[in-house]
Amino acid sequence: MDLGMFDGIARRVVSIWFHRFASDRFLRQYPLSGPFALTIKHSNTNRLYCLNAEATRQGLHQGMTHSDARAFCPDLQTAAADIYRDQQFLLILRRWATRYCPWVGLEGRDGLVLDISGSSHLFGGETGMLNAIRNGLMRIGLSAQIGLADTRGAAWALAHYGEGQAATGDMLPALQHLPVAALRLDEKTTTALIRLGLRKIGDLATTPRAPLARRFGANVLMRLDQALGHQAEEITPLTASPHYGVRMTLPEPIGLISDVMAGTERLLTQLCAKLKTHEMGARVFVITLRRVDLDQQEVELRLARALRDPQRILPLFEKGLAEIDAGFGIEQLRLEATQTEALPTQQMSHVATDGDDRLEDLITRIGTRIGLENIQRFLPADSHIPERSFIVAPAAYSATASGWTCKTPRPLCLFPPEPIPGSGPYPPNHFRWRRVSLTTGHTIGPERITPEWWLEDDNWRSGMRDYWRVETTQGRRLWLFYTPQNPGWFVQGEFA
C-alpha cells in the first residue's frame, strides 16, 4: 500500500489502545465494584497484570507483586488472567471494527489499527468517526485511547502518549513534544537515549543521523522515519476465518422425513464442497430446522473422525432427523460444521481402506446413542508393570496402535491381586481361590518384575514379584505371583 496516497485520497490511520483491556473484559462478564486487578504468575510469583481505574488510583501498578499490592490496598479483589480469552475477545473487536473501515489489523495484545482512508466521510468526517468509535466502546464497557494521524507510528504514539488527532501533512509538530518511548522502542534503547539527553521525539529528529545509527543501529531511525512518514509501514488486515455453514429457505413447508433428508443432502453437498476447498473436515455437524411457528429444533451429529464425504455423512443423520417434530411444517434448514479439523488431500492408493471406514461409521452410529466418549479402545503403554502396560482411550479420538509386543504372554483378564494360601517360592500344589479348590498341574516361571521406583504406587509397596503361569487340573489357567520381600501368594489374572 502506498504510504502517502490511497486512490488519490490522503492516507489516515487510527490507532486504538485498550489500556485496561484484560480487566475490562473480565469486568464485563463479572461486574465488581472497588479496586480490582488480574494477576499472572511470573518467576513463581503472582504479579499484577492489568488493573481497573480504582486500583490505579489506589497507587497500584502493573508488575507489582500480589502480596505488596494487598499490603497497600487490603480491599483489592483479584482474579487470574486468561491470555487466550483476551486474544479471542480482541479478534471479536477486530471484526466489530470493520464496520468503520475494511482495513483493520491487530496492534499487539491490546490494540487495533485501522486505515480509514476514504471511509471517514461515511460518519460525517474524522471527528464524527472517532466519536462513533468511542461511543461504541463505551457502550460495551471498554475504555480506550485513540490516536489519528497519517502514519501508523504517529497514530500509535498519539494513542499511547498524547491522545488526539494530528493534522494531515508533516507529523513532526504533533509528535515533537512526546517522549522517545512513543516511537515503539524497547526499554533499554529508551533509557540509553534519555541518558544522552534525547528525551523528546523532537530532540531525536534534530540530532545528526550518522552518530545515532552507529550507536543504536538502524532500528531507532527506522521507527522515527515510520512515524514521520519517511518510510512506509503497511497495515495487514486479518482475513476472516471461513464460516462453514449453509442454509435453505423452502418455498413450501415440509414435514416428511424423506423431504428433510433430501434437503439435508443438498446442504451437505454444498458444505462438503466448501470444506474440500479449504482442505478441512468436520467432526461435529449441527442442523437446525425452523418450523412455521418459529420454533427451532437442532440435531447434532458427532463423528468418529473428521469427514467431508456427503455420501458417508448423510445416512448418519437419519436417526436424529427421524425423531424431530415437524409440527405444521419446516420452512428453513441450516447446516453448520461447528468443529473442524485439517483434512489435507491424500494420495490415492491401491490398498483398500473400506474396512476402516466401516468401523468409523459403526462407531459414529453407536456413539449417537451412547456417546462417542463411551466407546473405548485399549492402547499399549511403555511400562513393564502389568496394570500399567495399557491405557484406555475413546476410540473416536485415538488411532489404533500395533505396539503390542511382549516376550511372555499376558492374561486377557487382569484384575487386582487376590491373596491365596501358600508358602515358599514355588506355586502351591493345592490352593483355594474364589471358593473353589484347585490343584496345580503344570507351571511356567518365574518371571521377575520389579516396581518402578520413580512412580508412587501403593499396590507395589510389597516389592518385587515373581510371576508364574499355572495350569490347574480343573482346567483353569491362572497368573500367580509371589512376593519374596513380603512372602505371600496372589492371583492377578486368568488366561483364556
Side-chain angles (χ1 to χ4, degrees):
M1 179 188 294
D2 182 72
L3 184 65
M5 302 292 290
F6 182 76
D7 291 340
I9 301 173
R11 187 192 192 201
R12 297 292 276 172
V13 179
V14 171
S15 179
I16 306 175
W17 177 39
F18 304 101
H19 51 286
R20 290 192 290 269
F21 179 67
S23 60
D24 285 348
R25 181 200 65 80
F26 185 90
L27 293 175
R28 288 181 71 252
Q29 187 174 4
Y30 307 101
L32 297 172
S33 59
F36 171 79
L38 293 174
T39 63
I40 192 169
K41 197 167 186 179
H42 179 70
S43 300
N44 294 326
T45 303
N46 277 334
R47 297 184 179 273
L48 301 190
Y49 173 70
C50 189
L51 300 78
N52 68 349
E54 180 63 26
T56 303
R57 284 193 292 267
Q58 295 285 342
L60 307 182
H61 58 84
Q62 184 180 5
M64 195 176 191
T65 63
H66 182 240
S67 57
D68 291 344
R70 291 299 299 269
F72 278 98
C73 182
D75 298 332
L76 178 65
Q77 305 174 75
T78 60
D82 192 332
I83 306 297
Y84 175 76
R85 289 191 177 183
D86 291 342
Q87 290 303 298
Q88 293 300 113
F89 186 57
L90 187 61
L91 293 176
I92 295 174
L93 288 177
R94 188 214 65 83
R95 184 177 179 182
W96 166 83
T98 56
R99 67 177 62 189
Y100 301 104
C101 68
W103 290 76
V104 182
L106 301 183
E107 194 73 272
R109 290 187 174 184
D110 54 4
L112 298 175
V113 57
L114 296 75
D115 190 331
I116 63 170
S117 305
S119 59
S120 59
H121 69 280
L122 300 175
F123 299 86
E126 294 177 349
T127 303
M129 174 180 280
L130 296 186
N131 290 334
I133 294 175
R134 286 193 182 95
N135 294 334
L137 293 174
M138 288 176 60
R139 283 195 298 268
I140 60 178
L142 294 178
S143 55
Q145 295 181 192
I146 304 176
L148 172 62
D150 287 355
T151 66
R152 181 175 183 175
W156 189 94
L158 291 173
H160 285 74
Y161 291 91
E163 185 178 15
Q165 302 175 227
T168 302
D170 188 8
M171 292 291 103
L172 185 57
L175 302 179
Q176 61 184 352
H177 299 296
L178 299 182
V180 291
L183 294 176
R184 296 173 290 174
L185 302 175
D186 59 84
E187 184 178 356
K188 182 179 179 181
T189 303
T190 302
T191 303
L193 289 171
I194 292 175
R195 288 175 178 174
L196 293 176
L198 303 176
R199 299 177 179 275
K200 306 294 184 182
I201 294 179
D203 301 334
L204 191 62
T206 56
T207 302
R209 298 171 64 89
L212 288 175
R214 285 195 300 268
R215 186 180 182 101
F216 298 101
N219 185 62
V220 173
L221 297 178
M222 180 192 70
R223 289 301 190 187
L224 178 63
D225 291 340
Q226 287 176 343
L228 298 181
H230 302 153
Q231 184 172 337
E233 183 179 10
E234 294 185 356
I235 297 175
T236 303
L238 295 180
T239 57
S241 56
H243 175 68
Y244 300 108
V246 291
R247 70 173 61 190
M248 175 191 298
T249 301
L250 304 169
E252 294 290 338
I254 60 174
L256 298 177
I257 183 62
S258 58
D259 295 336
V260 176
M261 288 293 291
T264 304
E265 182 180 11
R266 183 174 298 182
L267 293 178
L268 262 177
T269 302
Q270 300 175 20
L271 183 56
C272 290
K274 188 173 184 180
L275 290 169
K276 184 177 181 180
T277 301
H278 294 88
E279 294 193 347
M280 299 292 288
R283 288 294 296 259
V284 180
F285 287 95
V286 175
I287 184 169
T288 304
L289 304 99
R290 192 180 71 182
R291 306 191 311 194
V292 294
D293 58 0
L294 301 184
D295 187 24
Q296 292 187 353
Q297 298 186 55
E298 290 186 353
V299 176
E300 183 182 67
L301 176 64
R302 303 175 66 87
L303 302 176
R305 60 162 292 186
L307 293 177
R308 59 168 179 252
D309 183 359
Q311 300 304 320
R312 290 183 57 189
I313 299 172
L314 181 62
L316 305 177
F317 266 112
E318 188 171 359
K319 178 181 181 299
L321 293 177
E323 297 175 354
I324 64 171
D325 180 12
F328 294 104
I330 297 170
E331 64 177 4
Q332 187 184 82
L333 303 176
R334 184 173 72 249
L335 180 64
E336 184 179 5
T338 58
Q339 182 178 337
T340 58
E341 296 178 3
L343 189 62
T345 303
Q346 297 180 351
Q347 178 67 37
M348 297 182 62
S349 172
H350 67 280
V351 180
T353 58
D354 294 342
D356 294 339
D357 294 343
R358 288 196 295 267
L359 176 60
E360 290 159 356
D361 292 347
L362 176 62
I363 293 174
T364 299
R365 290 181 180 276
I366 299 177
T368 57
R369 293 172 170 81
I370 65 175
L372 288 176
E373 295 78 7
N374 296 321
I375 306 175
Q376 301 176 333
R377 62 160 52 102
F378 291 97
L379 299 175
D382 186 14
S383 177
H384 61 272
I385 302 298
E387 53 266 39
R388 290 182 183 164
S389 60
F390 63 91
I391 58 175
V392 180
Y397 306 103
S398 59
T400 57
S402 58
W404 296 98
T405 57
C406 188
K407 295 182 179 179
T408 56
R410 294 285 185 261
L412 293 179
C413 181
L414 199 66
F415 42 80
E418 300 176 2
I420 58 173
S423 59
Y426 297 100
N429 294 326
H430 303 279
F431 59 93
R432 187 174 180 84
W433 176 62
R434 294 184 177 179
R435 291 186 282 185
V436 177
S437 296
L438 300 173
T439 302
T440 301
H442 180 66
T443 62
I444 301 176
E447 176 191 356
R448 175 161 291 184
I449 298 179
T450 59
E452 296 172 338
W453 56 266
W454 56 92
L455 296 176
E456 289 289 337
D457 191 345
D458 293 337
N459 296 326
W460 282 77
R461 292 189 180 277
S462 57
M464 66 182 68
R465 298 177 180 178
D466 289 338
Y467 280 88
W468 295 78
R469 282 182 286 161
V470 175
E471 297 182 7
T472 65
T473 56
Q474 289 78 14
R476 309 294 291 266
R477 302 172 64 239
L478 304 178
W479 207 36
L480 280 64
F481 71 84
Y482 174 71
T483 53
Q485 297 175 342
N486 188 14
W489 280 94
F490 301 85
V491 181
Q492 192 178 1
E494 185 172 10
F495 294 90

